[in-house]
Amino acid sequence: MELLFRPRRLRRREALRRMVRETHLRPEDFIYPLFAAPGSRVRQEVESMPGVARLSADLLVDEAKAALDVGVPAVLLFGLPTRKDDTGSEAASPKGAVQQAVRLLKKKLPELVVITDVCLCGYTSHGHCGLLSGREVDNDATLELLSQVAVSHAEAGADMVAPSDMMDGRVGALREALDERGFEMVPIMSYAVKYASSFYGPFRDAAESSPAFGDRRSYQMDPANIREALREAALDVEEGADILMVKPALPYLDVIAQLAVEFDLPLAAYQVSGEYAMIKAAAANGWLDETAVMLESLLSIKRAGADLILTYFAKQAAALLGR
Ligand code: PBG
């Protein structure tokens, strides 16, 4: 048969396939989320996230070092408080688990980029991401608290802060608070487009941050909307965000792709706990090849347009890529 073009010609050998490959995963694409627990020598496995544990600062250093050794440049820290209250007051404490972990990580691994998650849901007794006024989350009152949290992280030595609360105006509020304290060089990675997703379930086990009543749909985005995603991102750019993020990742590749063409800021995507748990669970059952599916899902997120990927697979994937 006479076919002018045969796409299979360039697929015949791995060497040829490598030459025409359009997308490449690199260890430096990854940011490794970690959970900072109070105390020392603490390691609590998270049941719904096999391979993930809440770690005290001393053990976080070992885990971050292992990731750094295979080429992962950055971690994202979430904190667990010793005590929760109405206002999440421990979130801004210089003695909090995150603040202590940041200090130790920066001391032991100075080249590691330490990013901190700025939110209240892990610290409030009601599990919502802001201050309550009745049964509603009070946007503007929350901004003041979030600013204090971000400043406390910067004071501990954080290289970057990442607000995940989805209050309106929080990027601008954080930028102003950081600048006032002399932290004008600390970048903000904004969870600009964060959907009210059911894929966060396992994370809420890890952070013990499920809302005690209701849900997060009055502040996180409706999964049905993409125009609104562009608007959210545009607002964060105006307010001074340095990196934009889309979250979750795989179910929202269209959103990642659209943001990648519309904006000129670096774009991150968060492969969230539920995405991780699905792959781990199917692999544990022998239903999927864990390594292959992990790499394919990460590659897809990058191909869609993400420059950076937040993933619980960071260490595992980087170790494979570096070989
Ligand atoms: C806190 C926060 C959440 C995640 C990151 N930051 C949970 C939530 O909004 O309920 C989810 C991360 C994951 O599922 O891996 N606001």
Side-chain angles (χ1 to χ4, degrees), residues 72-108:
V72 177
V75 297
L76 171 69
L77 295 183
F78 293 96
L80 294 142
T82 53
R83 230 187 94 248
K84 303 192 189 223
D85 58 25
D86 270 8
T87 60
S89 54
E90 211 175 302
S93 162
K95 296 202 187 94
V98 165
Q99 290 83 351
Q100 293 195 29
V102 171
R103 280 193 292 268
L104 196 64
L105 285 167
K106 289 308 298 180
K107 185 167 148 212
K108 303 277 184 180

Side-chain angles (χ1 to χ4, degrees), residues 9-207:
R9 284 179 198 132
L10 293 176
R11 289 182 204 144
R12 276 182 79 208
R13 288 172 49 207
E14 176 56 16
L16 287 169
R17 291 192 292 271
R18 270 177 58 202
M19 287 169 69
V20 299
R21 190 158 290 147
E22 299 173 31
T23 310
H24 300 270
L25 283 173
R26 309 167 309 161
E28 52 271 31
D29 298 332
F30 302 132
I31 299 171
Y32 192 23
L34 295 170
F35 297 95
S40 68
R41 298 277 118 201
V42 176
R43 168 179 211 100
Q44 298 164 341
E45 306 291 334
V46 180
E47 208 184 322
S48 50
M49 300 174 74
V52 174
R54 306 185 197 114
L55 301 171
S56 51
D58 51 334
L59 301 187
L60 276 175
V61 170
D62 300 339
E63 189 61 21
K65 167 131 189 359
L68 197 57
D69 285 345
V70 291
V72 177
V75 297
L76 171 69
L77 295 183
F78 293 96
L80 294 142
T82 53
R83 230 187 94 248
K84 303 192 189 223
D85 58 25
D86 270 8
T87 60
S89 54
E90 211 175 302
S93 162
K95 296 202 187 94
V98 165
Q99 290 83 351
Q100 293 195 29
V102 171
R103 280 193 292 268
L104 196 64
L105 285 167
K106 289 308 298 180
K107 185 167 148 212
K108 303 277 184 180
L109 305 169
E111 69 277 36
L112 180 75
V113 176
V114 179
I115 310 171
T116 55
D117 185 89
V118 175
C119 196
L120 296 178
C121 61
Y123 297 86
T124 51
S125 41
H126 45 76
H128 279 287
C129 300
L131 267 189
L132 289 186
S133 156
R135 285 169 79 84
E136 278 220 57
V137 174
D138 182 335
N139 191 88
D140 297 10
T142 301
L143 297 183
E144 176 53 34
L145 290 185
L146 292 169
S147 301
Q148 290 168 14
V149 175
V151 167
S152 78
H153 292 174
E155 280 170 349
D159 294 299
M160 195 183 302
V161 294
S164 69
D165 52 284
M166 287 303 276
M167 297 303 119
D168 293 334
R170 90 271 208 215
V171 171
L174 258 57
R175 187 69 273 156
E176 196 182 314
L178 289 167
D179 289 0
E180 266 171 21
R181 307 297 178 92
F183 296 114
E184 60 281 322
M185 294 307 283
V186 173
I188 298 176
M189 175 166 67
S190 165
Y191 288 68
V193 182
K194 177 172 176 180
Y195 287 96
S197 171
S198 299
F199 285 95
Y200 305 150
F203 173 95
R204 293 180 189 171
D205 293 343

Side-chain angles (χ1 to χ4, degrees), residues 48-49 199-204 270-278 312:
S48 50
M49 300 174 74
F199 285 95
Y200 305 150
F203 173 95
R204 293 180 189 171
Y270 199 142
Q271 181 181 52
V272 301
S273 56
E275 299 177 68
Y276 174 83
M278 286 196 300
Y312 302 98

